[in-house]
Amino acid sequence: MGGKLLLPAEEEARRRGCDRACVSSFTFQAPVFYQRHGYVETGRTLGIPGGAQDVRMCKKLDRSPVRESASSPR
């Protein structure tokens, strides 16, 4: 289910001209999910209460053109 939400969000980011997507996830949440979708760890904050860590990850978005209709404003 998460992938069905993530992929359209990445496509919208591309449409808006973004060249990367960045997320933050605690170690007890979903860093492995993001890694499976091509995200790479860029930083980590230690010392979160309960022994968790905050993992920051980014993914380079390809620059493939997004189709626009002929009536779309530029």
Side-chain angles (χ1 to χ4, degrees):
M1 182 58 99
K4 289 182 180 183
L5 295 172
L6 185 62
L7 295 176
E10 290 174 356
E11 184 57 36
E12 178 64 15
R14 284 184 193 91
R15 188 185 73 73
R16 293 178 182 217
C18 299
D19 65 355
R20 74 197 71 151
C22 298
V23 297
S24 176
S25 179
F26 291 114
T27 48
F28 62 83
Q29 290 176 320
V32 173
F33 164 78
Y34 290 109
Q35 289 169 339
R36 283 196 316 257
H37 287 277
Y39 286 75
V40 177
E41 184 175 326
T42 58
R44 202 175 267 246
T45 301
L46 309 176
I48 304 297
Q53 299 171 13
D54 180 18
V55 182
R56 288 171 307 286
M57 309 175 98
C58 287
K59 175 181 179 178
K60 185 175 180 355
L61 299 175
D62 65 36
R63 305 295 273 159
S64 60
V66 177
R67 295 182 188 264
E68 294 185 32
S69 68
S71 62
S72 294
R74 292 190 181 242

